[in-house]
Amino acid sequence: MALTASLGHSAFLQLSTSFYGDTSPSSSISTTFPGNQSFSRKQFVVFARKMSGLEEARRIKRERELQVVKKDRKGPPLRRGKVSPRLPVPDDILKPPYVGSDILPEMGTEYQIHDSEGIAKMRAAGELAARVLNFAGTLVRPSVTTNEIDKAVHQMIIDAGAYPSPLGYGGFPKSVCTSVNECMCHGIPDSRQLQNGDIINIDVTVYLNGYHGDTSKTFFCGDVSDAIKNLVKVTEECLEKGIAVCKDGTPFKKIGKRISEHAEKYGYGVVERFVGHGVGTVFHCEPYIYHHRNDEGGCMVEGQTFTIEPILSMGSTDCITWPDNWTTVTTDGSPAAQFEHTILITRTGAEILTTC
């Protein structure tokens, strides 16, 4: 389940490109930026390279936004259907601490780093989430409602002795997120029937033995256009490329760089508002995993678990959230796709936990 980020970048992003002080050539030149922050010539070169990479990303984004984007979509814009009441969960199933309150939990500040017992429980939660997601995907076909998918997912999760993590999280009324066509994420299952040519992201999180496993995938409903198929294909590739850079000691910012590079090759935008997150005994916690170019600090640590969940759009990466405070759609109605895995950082790479 994606987390909404307050996108405050590192300090240098707010600095003016103008600088003050003596600019005469000298081997010991020191450049002073606003805020009285000084840089040597060598440090300034590093700073400038960071700025140039991010400025290039901004330039690409501006060019995309100026283009007239063809919205490869059939039928009317997405509209909310009827939302049925929450489904019950047996009393004997262990529930997360946020259940019973409609207040959105605060973001956890502790990284989820596990010992061997914790890793085993994360693997079990991830494997169950993956099985549930695969089952949910078999239900996708024209005329099926997203509410029917939610009901089936709910039953499978509680039959396994687990709790559907989205249910009751900050007041979310359902057990799974179903995001159709232009819906970026957090779609609430309802009475709307899926149509031929739709795409749907199903986002499953389970709480098993005190640990969350979180995963999502975008599925095709019936006959989908080649253009949208390509969007979905590239989005999944972006997830794979983000995971491929992960290992102990790697800076988190490499994930966003690799994802952005791949998306831009095909002219797609990477949504910045929603990020991956640490996950384990806590549903959402630090670190934030940015999927776009960034210069946030921090490095991965062996034994750590978090999600990577890029969202790509065929058009605008800006979004509007519906009055339900969850459903978020692209401003121009362009299709969007998302894929997500929970991963475990190892000494030499990353283990995908949400597989079966």
Side-chain angles (χ1 to χ4, degrees):
M1 190 174 187
L3 185 68
T4 304
S6 176
L7 296 175
H9 294 295
S10 298
F12 77 87
L13 285 177
Q14 283 87 41
L15 296 179
S16 168
T17 54
S18 300
F19 54 89
Y20 307 92
D22 184 5
T23 57
S24 58
S26 169
S27 59
S28 60
I29 186 171
S30 177
T31 303
T32 302
F33 287 82
N36 296 321
Q37 187 172 7
S38 297
F39 291 85
S40 67
R41 178 187 292 274
K42 182 177 180 180
Q43 288 171 320
F44 176 70
V45 169
V46 172
F47 176 91
R49 286 174 178 168
K50 289 179 179 178
M51 283 298 295
S52 63
L54 287 159
E55 284 300 319
E56 175 65 9
R58 289 173 176 172
R59 182 191 65 78
I60 292 170
K61 182 179 179 181
R62 284 195 297 269
E63 286 183 354
R64 290 188 69 258
E65 290 172 347
L66 290 171
Q67 292 174 352
V68 178
V69 180
K70 178 183 178 183
K71 302 178 189 65
D72 198 301
R73 181 184 65 190
K74 299 175 182 177
L78 191 64
R79 293 288 184 266
R80 178 175 177 172
K82 182 179 179 181
V83 178
S84 59
R86 297 185 190 185
L87 296 170
V89 177
D91 292 338
D92 61 340
I93 288 180
L94 180 64
K95 300 171 180 62
Y98 53 78
V99 173
S101 171
D102 286 344
I103 298 173
L104 192 68
E106 292 185 7
M107 177 74 170
T109 57
E110 293 186 5
Y111 287 20
Q112 300 290 290
I113 301 173
H114 310 279
D115 57 16
S116 57
E117 180 182 355
I119 290 172
K121 289 183 176 180
M122 282 298 298
R123 285 183 177 134
E127 191 269 342
L128 174 60
R131 283 196 291 112
V132 173
L133 181 62
N134 287 348
F135 167 67
T138 67
L139 305 176
V140 175
R141 62 181 181 274
S143 80
V144 168
T145 68
T146 51
N147 192 63
E148 289 174 309
I149 295 173
D150 176 77
K151 186 176 180 179
V153 164
H154 179 91
Q155 192 63 47
M156 183 174 180
I157 292 173
I158 63 173
D159 284 348
Y163 183 89
S165 302
L167 185 63
Y169 180 82
F172 193 82
K174 291 294 183 175
S175 299
V176 67
C177 298
T178 52
S179 303
V180 179
N181 297 338
E182 67 264 37
C183 184
M184 292 179 174
C185 61
H186 300 163
I188 298 175
D190 59 23
S191 61
R192 180 190 182 275
Q193 292 183 327
L194 293 176
Q195 306 296 313
N196 185 57
D198 283 349
I199 55 173
I200 176 173
N201 176 271
I202 302 177
D203 192 336
V204 171
T205 313
V206 304
Y207 185 65
L208 178 67
N209 298 322
Y211 289 76
H212 297 271
D214 191 0
T215 185
S216 84
K217 180 177 181 179
T218 298
F219 297 93
F220 301 134
C221 181
D223 298 320
V224 176
S225 71
D226 289 342
I228 293 182
K229 284 181 180 178
N230 193 63
L231 169 70
V232 173
K233 174 177 177 290
V234 173
T235 305
E236 185 170 21
E237 290 171 353
C238 282
L239 173 60
E240 293 167 352
K241 289 182 179 295
I243 294 172
V245 304
C246 295
K247 67 177 180 179
D248 182 54
T250 298
F252 291 112
K253 64 184 179 181
K254 283 195 173 182
I255 296 172
K257 181 175 184 295
R258 186 63 62 87
I259 289 172
S260 294
E261 288 173 346
H262 191 65
E264 288 160 3
K265 290 179 184 178
Y266 298 89
Y268 301 132
V270 179
V271 174
E272 298 184 9
R273 180 176 173 185
F274 298 99
V275 299
H277 52 88
V279 65
T281 57
V282 179
F283 192 176
H284 293 117
C285 63
E286 294 187 13
Y288 293 102
I289 305 300
Y290 297 91
H291 305 115
H292 60 284
R293 283 188 179 85
N294 66 90
D295 200 54
E296 297 297 317
C299 294
M300 304 168 200
V301 177
E302 184 178 2
Q304 183 178 36
T305 50
F306 55 83
T307 70
I308 304 177
E309 42 188 309
I311 303 173
L312 269 59
S313 168
M314 289 182 72
S316 175
T317 57
D318 293 329
C319 56
I320 299 170
T321 299
W322 287 3
D324 61 28
N325 292 323
W326 288 103
T327 308
T328 303
V329 298
T330 56
T331 54
D332 63 353
S334 297
Q338 182 183 32
F339 283 81
E340 174 186 13
H341 275 308
T342 297
I343 65 170
L344 167 71
I345 298 302
T346 68
R347 186 170 301 176
T348 58
E351 176 185 344
I352 299 174
L353 299 179
T354 40
T355 58
C356 57

